[in-house]
Amino acid sequence: MAKYFDVHPENPQRRTITNVAESIRSGALVAYPTDSCYALGCQLGSRDGIDRIRSVRNLDDRHHFTLVCQNFSQLGQFVQIDNDVFRAIKAATPGSYTFILPATKEVPRQLLHPKKKTVGVRIPDHTVTQALLAELGEPLLSSTLLLPDEEEPLTQGWEIKERLDHVVDVVLDSGDCGTEPTTVIDFSGGELEVVRRGAGDVSRFEQRTARTVTPRFRRPR
């Protein structure tokens, strides 16, 4: 039976955030709000958490998991990024974007795309998510809470609790955060590719061509 926490969307209770972070460190699978839909999240490197997310969403090994990061300093530890791509991402975050980039050795192998060796990263613009990430001190391994054969993600905390009560361990509810997922931009192939049009405005990227990402990367500060 999942634990249910209701927090204020702009001033989340510190004790609640601490409790949820402790649960994640202990291996919990959590449903939590972001700036574009609710998401499933677990601790970085949790094989059990990855398997549970795959099971809930019926995902295969080609699915790109996302590392939800607090800031650029954290993001830069996990992806290879050149100066042009850095500037493009910097201008669009925090926000409702997921960026696919070549992964560094810091990313657990089970998170990588099996052929491309890439991973998704994003920096959300959501007070509750940022509070949780600050408390964790590391990225949250995540995937949109979109159930198999359904067209839209779940968007109400009480409904998530009701439907996934025996599937997730924690539900963190801060109110409706919409049904539109992130816009996904792939920078990994040399040419910029808009993989999915979602909540983030793609107009800033549509006329831009990415330089080839090299093995050398800049660690954002």
Side-chain angles (χ1 to χ4, degrees):
M1 188 172 181
K3 297 179 181 179
Y4 178 82
F5 298 97
D6 188 6
V7 296
H8 193 280
E10 297 178 1
N11 188 26
Q13 301 89 319
R14 177 65 182 273
R15 183 175 180 181
T16 298
I17 295 299
T18 298
N19 286 338
V20 174
E22 289 176 351
S23 295
I24 293 170
R25 293 190 192 102
S26 298
L29 178 62
V30 57
Y32 71 100
T34 76
D35 52 348
S36 56
C37 310
Y38 275 82
L40 293 170
C42 67
Q43 187 174 34
L44 177 66
S46 172
R47 185 176 295 275
D48 179 67
I50 294 170
D51 290 342
R52 291 175 68 187
I53 292 175
R54 289 191 192 278
S55 177
V56 172
R57 291 205 52 200
N58 193 26
L59 301 172
D60 60 28
D61 62 1
R62 293 171 295 177
H63 176 75
H64 266 112
F65 282 98
T66 299
L67 299 182
V68 179
C69 301
Q70 182 185 2
N71 50 40
F72 268 90
S73 177
Q74 198 173 77
L75 180 147
Q77 300 174 43
F78 298 95
V79 291
Q80 300 175 23
I81 183 170
D82 73 4
N83 288 333
D84 279 1
V85 174
F86 172 85
R87 286 191 289 269
I89 294 177
K90 180 72 172 177
T93 56
S96 300
Y97 298 91
T98 297
F99 302 99
I100 298 174
L101 290 160
T104 69
K105 294 181 180 179
E106 300 296 322
V107 179
R109 183 179 299 178
Q110 62 266 32
L111 298 185
L112 302 178
H113 187 284
K115 293 183 179 180
K116 299 179 180 180
K117 307 305 179 186
T118 51
V119 69
V121 289
R122 87 181 198 91
I123 302 173
D125 186 14
H126 192 280
T127 300
V128 175
T129 317
Q130 283 289 337
L132 181 58
L133 291 169
E135 185 67 29
L136 275 175
E138 65 179 21
L140 192 57
L141 190 161
S142 294
S143 183
T144 301
L145 210 174
L146 178 63
L147 299 180
D149 302 320
E150 297 197 8
E151 294 184 1
E152 293 188 343
L154 299 179
T155 187
Q156 298 290 342
W158 63 264
E159 182 183 12
I160 295 170
K161 162 69 171 170
E162 185 176 272
R163 294 185 61 181
L164 301 182
D165 199 28
H166 297 289
V167 177
V168 301
D169 302 305
V170 175
V171 176
L172 182 60
D173 185 0
S174 67
D176 191 333
C177 54
T179 60
E180 194 170 16
T182 59
T183 291
V184 179
I185 308 291
D186 189 344
F187 280 108
S188 66
E191 295 295 324
L192 179 153
E193 179 184 0
V194 179
V195 177
R196 180 179 70 197
R197 294 174 183 269
D201 180 13
V202 300
S203 62
R204 69 176 72 224
F205 296 105
E206 287 180 320
Q207 302 301 319
R208 186 184 184 90
T209 301
R211 289 172 53 192
T212 301
V213 179
T214 67
R216 292 176 298 173
F217 66 97
R218 174 177 179 176
R219 290 185 181 272
R221 299 184 180 184

